[in-house]
Amino acid sequence: MSADVSQETQETQETQDPDDIAAIRESVRALCARFPGEYWRKLDRERAYPTEFVAALTEAGFLAALIPEEYGGSGLTIRAAAAIVEEIHAAGCNGAACHAQIYTMGTLLRHGSAAQKKQYLPGIASGKLRLQAFGVTEPTSGTDTLSLRTTAVKQGDHYVVNGQKIWTSRAEHSDLMLLLARTTPADKLAKRTDGLSVFIVDMHLAQGTGISINPIRTMMNHATTEVFFDDLRVPAENLIGEEGKGFRYILSGMNAERILIAAECIGDAKWFIDRAAAYAKERVVFGRPIGQNQGVQFPIARAYAQMRAAELMVREAARTYEAGRDAGEQANMAKLLAADASWAAADMCVQTHGGFGFAEDFDIERKFRETRLYQVAPISTNLILSYLAEHVLGLPRSY
Ligand SMILES: Cc1cc2nc3c(=O)[nH]c(=O)nc-3n(C[C@H](O)[C@H](O)[C@H](O)COP(=O)(O)OP(=O)(O)OC[C@H]3O[C@@H](n4cnc5c(N)ncnc54)[C@H](O)[C@@H]3O)c2cc1C
């Protein structure tokens, strides 16, 4: 990172991070330096998958960060995994193509059988198996996961799946998909949160025999799709954990996901602040650097303060998670504050660059589009606020 502000941020990080995490940051930075803006711009234009980048991260072992060593992973902490994704984003790269490989396996790790873990985790750790697709959201139910309609009906030693998912990212680039489907009709449930189950779907076996995938073109390069299930047969042995408990299993992975997504937002915010501060020093208008005007300085300073505050919450969430305590409050706040910080920094960065903020070659408009997503996915800001209001502050349930 070139600007002084980044150097300061880096130093603060290095005084706070243990040596192993500082070393991980350094290696991720070195890897990302091989994938400069031109690489991402080309992919963005073509809406293409960053195959080489994902391969490099896999080869370096970064995507196996959270898989225990006994299954061939690195057995690192959530703080280390957060440092990895943060550095990817702070370098101007994008982890969206592969971040799910880091955390989606958590459901399998926590709730899968010994045989399932032995069958899949080593392959996921080595990168031979990509588990990057996570089919939860549906067109009709949206955020209301408990209303989802895709069904999995047991017939002998198989489940037969019918329905539709939307926004299933990386479905075309994944060997396996974690699928949440209804195994008990909603009107036959004693408990609202029961009745959904999680399955591992082998995408190669499924293609052409019950699954069809349509890419959805979005405002940024995200490899997201809609997936249709038409009598897809999934072996009963691919059910994870107990039938009907899938919603709970998915929820149990949400805190890790929120922390890692928040770390990506912090990385984005650092990238925007770095770019803006550097440009404000060198761009001369009216005979002086634009950064000499307080009207230009203050938004950069504000974005920096906002990012640092959010970063503290991300670290707090990671520490709470690592200590084995319930990190729901901290993880949700980390995601909320970090997504706000990255979006504020993105807006500030475009403004600081004037017209050049819109020029493709500067990468700012690309990162601006990319970071906008975090206000909506994987969880929208409103739903986090609703969690805090209800579960932390004890306000009445709103939905
Ligand atoms: C690029 C992209 C990639 C994605 N990848 C995946 C993926 O891999 N797997 C997957 O399963 N999903 C994925 N998603 C889906 C994502 O998680 C959802 O889009 C997100 O959770 C919001 O759901 P929704 O789009 O159905 O919005 P809706 O539920 O229709 O909500 C629309 C708006 O209304 C607000 N809202 C709804 N209910 C309430 C309420 N009770 N109170 C206040 N506000 C409310 C929401 O906050 C939101 O802003 C992805 C989405 C995108 C755009």
Side-chain angles (χ1 to χ4, degrees):
M1 291 196 249
S2 54
D4 292 348
V5 65
S6 305
Q7 211 172 332
E8 267 169 44
T9 309
Q10 208 168 317
E11 278 160 13
T12 319
Q13 267 169 6
E14 276 156 12
T15 49
Q16 288 179 353
D17 283 331
D19 287 352
D20 55 339
I21 294 186
I24 287 171
R25 286 186 186 278
E26 204 50 60
S27 328
V28 178
R29 274 180 216 137
L31 186 153
C32 289
R34 290 160 39 202
F35 299 92
E38 306 89 76
Y39 175 76
W40 296 100
R41 286 198 289 277
K42 184 165 185 297
L43 294 171
D44 186 60
R45 274 195 296 273
E46 296 166 3
R47 291 295 191 269
Y49 190 76
T51 306
E52 307 78 11
F53 179 67
V54 175
L57 287 173
T58 306
E59 201 178 308
F62 292 131
L63 300 185
L66 294 179
I67 300 181
E69 284 170 309
E70 62 175 302
Y71 298 109
S74 324
L76 296 174
T77 58
I78 192 92
R79 271 188 297 170
I84 292 168
V85 292
E86 182 196 310
E87 290 301 334
I88 290 173
H89 282 249
C93 303
N94 192 327
C98 52
H99 54 197
Q101 182 91 3
I102 300 182
Y103 54 74
T104 306
M105 63 79 216
T107 305
L108 172 63
L109 181 64
R110 277 186 301 277
H111 308 287
S113 66
Q116 286 171 335
K117 289 192 245 189
K118 207 167 142 215
Q119 183 178 352
Y120 296 112
L121 288 177
I124 297 169
S126 71
K128 208 174 125 230
L129 282 180
R130 285 187 185 166
L131 171 55
Q132 300 190 2
F134 190 33
V136 175
T137 311
E138 296 188 0
T140 49
S141 53
T143 309
D144 184 6
T145 305
L146 289 174
S147 309
L148 66 79
R149 294 186 187 172
T150 296
T151 53
V153 178
K154 188 131 189 237
Q155 287 181 7
D157 57 359
H158 278 75
Y159 283 86
V160 178
V161 180
N162 281 288
Q164 186 196 341
K165 295 288 172 184
I166 192 168
W167 307 119
T168 313
S169 302
R170 304 161 295 271
E172 296 170 298
H173 303 280
S174 200
D175 302 297
L176 304 170
M177 175 201 284
L178 221 57
L179 171 72
L180 187 66
R182 178 165 299 290
T183 38
T184 308
D187 57 4
K188 298 220 164 58
L189 291 171
K191 206 164 170 202
R192 209 174 142 252
T193 49
D194 283 344
L196 304 180
S197 303
V198 182
F199 298 91
I200 302 175
V201 176
D202 182 324
M203 299 298 278
H204 299 294
L205 292 178
Q207 288 275 7
T209 59
I211 266 194
S212 50
I213 304 173
N214 285 344
I216 304 176
R217 218 180 142 84
T218 53
M219 68 191 265
M220 68 293 172
N221 182 19
H222 199 89
T224 199
T225 69
E226 55 183 347
V227 180
F228 297 88
F229 303 91
D230 183 13
D231 284 341
L232 172 72
R233 288 170 65 77
V234 178
E237 68 204 31
N238 287 24
L239 170 75
I240 294 187
E242 246 185 274
E243 187 184 293
K245 304 292 177 205
F247 183 65
R248 227 158 299 163
Y249 299 160
I250 296 293
L251 280 191
S252 76
M254 291 298 182
N255 287 341
E257 183 187 77
R258 304 248 198 290
I259 294 168
L260 295 180
I261 295 294
E264 290 188 354
C265 293
I266 296 296
D268 275 351
K270 285 182 180 175
W271 185 89
F272 287 119
I273 293 164
D274 197 10
R275 284 299 182 95
Y279 188 73
K281 282 181 228 168
E282 75 192 28
R283 170 72 170 166
V284 174
V285 180
F286 296 114
R288 57 185 177 167
I290 56 166
Q292 204 174 330
N293 303 300
Q294 290 187 329
V296 175
Q297 284 177 2
F298 286 4
I300 306 174
R302 184 179 293 279
Y304 178 73
Q306 197 174 345
M307 177 277 291
R308 292 285 285 136
E311 186 183 37
L312 289 177
M313 185 53 73
V314 179
R315 285 171 183 263
E316 170 78 8
R319 269 197 301 272
T320 310
Y321 183 92
E322 257 172 51
R325 295 198 299 272
D326 177 10
E329 175 180 345
Q330 292 84 349
N332 275 289
M333 288 195 295
K335 158 69 178 57
L336 171 81
L337 297 172
D340 283 353
S342 74
W343 180 232
D347 192 42
M348 170 283 289
C349 192
V350 170
Q351 196 68 21
T352 305
H353 280 77
F356 288 115
F358 299 84
E360 203 180 278
D361 277 358
F362 276 64
D363 293 311
I364 292 159
E365 59 83 32
R366 171 178 62 82
K367 291 284 280 181
F368 177 90
R369 286 182 279 117
E370 287 171 359
T371 217
R372 180 62 179 84
L373 176 66
Y374 297 117
Q375 294 287 333
V376 172
I379 178 79
S380 75
T381 296
N382 274 2
L383 270 289
I384 293 190
L385 290 170
S386 140
Y387 174 91
L388 295 173
E390 186 186 325
H391 296 282
V392 179
L393 301 173
L395 291 163
R397 186 174 174 82
S398 64
Y399 61 88

